[in-house]
Amino acid sequence: MTENSQAQPAANPELPTQYAPAEVEGKLYERWVERGYFEADEKSGKPPYTIVIPPPNVTGSLHLGHAFEHTIIDALTRRKRMQGYETLWQPGMDHAGIATQNVVERELAKEGKSRHDLGRTDFVERVWQWKEESGGQISGQMRRLGDGVAWSRERFTMDEGLSAAVQTIFKRLFDDGLIYRAERIINWCPRCLTAISDIEVEYQDDSGELVSIKYGDGDETLVVATTRAETMLGDTAVAVHPDDARYTHLVGRRIKLPLTDRTIPVVADEHVDPEFGTGAVKVTPAHDPNDFEIGRRHDLPNITVMDERAVITVPGPFQGLDRFEARSTIVAALRAEGRIVAEKRPYVHSVGHCSRCKTTVEPRLSLQWWVKVGPLSKAAGDAVRDGRVTIHPKEMESRYFAWIDNLNDWNISRQLWWGHRIPVWHGPNGETVAVGPNDEPPTGEGWSQDTDVLDTWFSSGLWPFSTLGWPEQTPSLEKFYPNSVLVTGYDILFFWVARMMMFGLYAMDGTPPFHTIALHGMVRDEHGKKMSKTFGNVVNPLDWMDKYGADAVRFTLARGANPGVDVPIGEDWVQGSRNFANKVWNATRFAMMNGATVEGPLPDAAQMSATDRWILSRLNETVAQVDALYEDYQFAKLSDALFHFAWDEVFDWYVELSKTTFFAGGEQAKVSGRVLGEVLDVTLRLLHPIVPFVTETLWTTLTGKESVVVADWPADSGFRDQAAEREIEHLQQVVTEVRRFRADQGLQPGQKVPGRLDLSATPLAAHEAAIRQLLRLQEEGDAFQATATLPVAGATVALDLSGTIDVPAERKRLTKDRDAAEKEKQQATAKLGNEAFLAKAPDNVVDKIRGRLAKAEADIERLTAQLAALPER
């Protein structure tokens, strides 16, 4: 797409009196897509800029977290596109193994069926059918938000090409000895009947019980405490610390395990904390990850006491009981034998739950497939340490290293039917063969494919390069890999980001998948509370977009986007952003109706007024500031800078200061009209990446050009005029102080009063008409009485307030306020003069008292001046 630098035939400068987002957003977006603005051409000579979408689940819908993240990515890519980069924002969705299978299984349950009634092949076909009919609604919602993604390149993690990438890297890792199969403790969901990853476990405080149980008898007695009494059926040892003198005599001996006919050894292990509880812990290697490691060190047997549905399998009175039923039954049996020495109920502790179905997760020994992460995680750590990859904000590096440097081997197998089936065939004599996408699997009697599928994070870990055609060396891969930046939440730094780093470095010969990792926080409600259905504070961003427009939602989210920090958001803030969009609309419309133009070059500085030179100086300073903040991913700060420049400086000051010039007409009005046109042109382009819809409508109308989407990003021309900036700052000081006085006297903002203006001691004489307009000052007239005289910043403003205020009442009010300020000053002064107080009070308290003193002194000075300005009657 070429830059449309030449103006099109003059557009109709007429704009509707009000901005109606619902009437323009959808049409504008479809126009952008039809014109191919968001597509990326690997054959172009432009430098590449690539970002992949964190692939949303195919089962999902747009929530505020998505809207926040997408706003940041869209702003980055829109700006880079305007800067002349070949920009690719890669879209797509994740097949979301567990979540999607659960959805379809629930649909089957409504028909009275289970997946086993259909069989694996038909069930998978049913999931594909659901995906085509119901999945992916998030794509339409992304369009509502204005996401500038390359839709023709949309990918799905189960696409044929991405599936080939999964098979390819699995075989390479397998052949390199980095994938193996072994029994380990994993997170198991008894409802979903599969292993789940750490990120799919949600921890919450549950109310349970802590029981202390006496093991052994006589001088061979130990007391252990547990919240999971049912697991004692699988105990194979009791562990104590090797230096704990209380139990030295028992180490190596065997003691009776209650409720069973077994004895178990007492072992010494440094994992045990002798200061915690009794200093003795039960060891159940098949049902606890720490116990499993103790068991490996001491060659203990692994006894599994529950099946995949968490039902007790140990022969005896507890066989067939659900784990929770077994827990209470076993405690009762122990109590009957006098084995319970202490009980704490309720005992609140953190318990893991399946994020999909909320079932309590069970640590379980299981035969699974694993990635040996040692060499992969070292490479991922080194890439950040040596500067090939930058984490932003930098303080997040320590979290990354704490995780990546201590990463355990990764369980990649899931006991599901929906997902990438593990490309391994097992033979009749224990043979194991990994098969790549171009290999023929072994055939013959006794050969079968592994029944497990891969963890969803395995395929999404390939996302930065599988979406570009890898393992084929495609033009897209050559052009757009590595990605320029990854924008994602800090909450998945350890899971998705770490896996992409490991796989990217491994598959792409040491080239990391992205140059920069830009981490953002989570969206919270206006009180800073996590959004949750439980709390009833979840917001559907579509509702806000329907009510206030997509630009308002985007601008609100951007203004809260400090790197790595959570984002509180409330509806009031979205209303404020809607007001800002309306302000931009109304001010631009007014400006265009009163001479703003982009035709021809800018006039020479010598032809401009100080007001013109001031706003151009401020404009270029804002361009430079916004550019620097973009490069530092400081969206909150750059949004705030744009807000205050547009609203305060352009609309509230420059447009108001220029009204008298426009109304007067003539050559100066033409000069200011061209300056105002330039300012609006640049301001709308600066705002466009964050608020694309309103800026597109206004910019194309103002300039007559094709689209701001493909316009040039503004450049700092270097123009600065410090003298003009000081002059207008002087003017602003005069106007602000007099406006404050007017407000203090109870005058309405638009209320006109007679006034005399003396600017002879200031450089503001040329601005008298504008200042009078801003201060609503009428000409003096023959009956003028200077009832209030204000010396402000070298200027003198005399006002005739006769008939406008109740002078006695105003004097009484001001006197009362000044007396209160005097009292505050006395109290603060007394405290700061008290040496004993200063010696004991914290620094922040002392600073607060000093602030109160400074405010009181300023209030006294202000109120005294107001009293002096009142007429003597």
Side-chain angles (χ1 to χ4, degrees), residues 339-365:
R339 294 281 179 179
I340 301 295
V341 299
E343 296 181 66
K344 186 175 183 180
R345 188 185 301 110
Y347 179 73
V348 178
H349 60 131
S350 182
V351 177
H353 295 258
C354 175
S355 63
R356 303 301 176 190
C357 67
K358 310 309 177 187
T359 301
T360 300
V361 168
E362 189 65 38
R364 184 170 188 260
L365 185 65

Side-chain angles (χ1 to χ4, degrees), residues 659-709:
K659 281 182 178 179
T660 53
T661 302
F662 292 138
F663 295 161
E667 286 302 313
Q668 192 57 53
K670 293 180 181 179
V671 170
S672 293
R674 180 64 189 90
V675 170
L676 179 54
E678 181 75 8
V679 171
L680 291 174
D681 173 13
V682 173
T683 301
L684 291 171
R685 282 187 280 153
L686 289 173
L687 284 167
H688 172 72
I690 298 175
V691 285
F693 294 107
V694 68
T695 52
E696 172 80 339
T697 305
L698 293 173
W699 189 85
T700 53
T701 305
L702 172 70
T703 66
K705 296 180 182 179
E706 180 186 339
S707 174
V708 69
V709 176

Side-chain angles (χ1 to χ4, degrees), residues 412-423:
I412 56 171
S413 48
R414 299 290 179 267
Q415 290 65 55
L416 303 171
W417 287 356
W418 172 245
H420 295 102
R421 192 164 175 182
I422 288 178

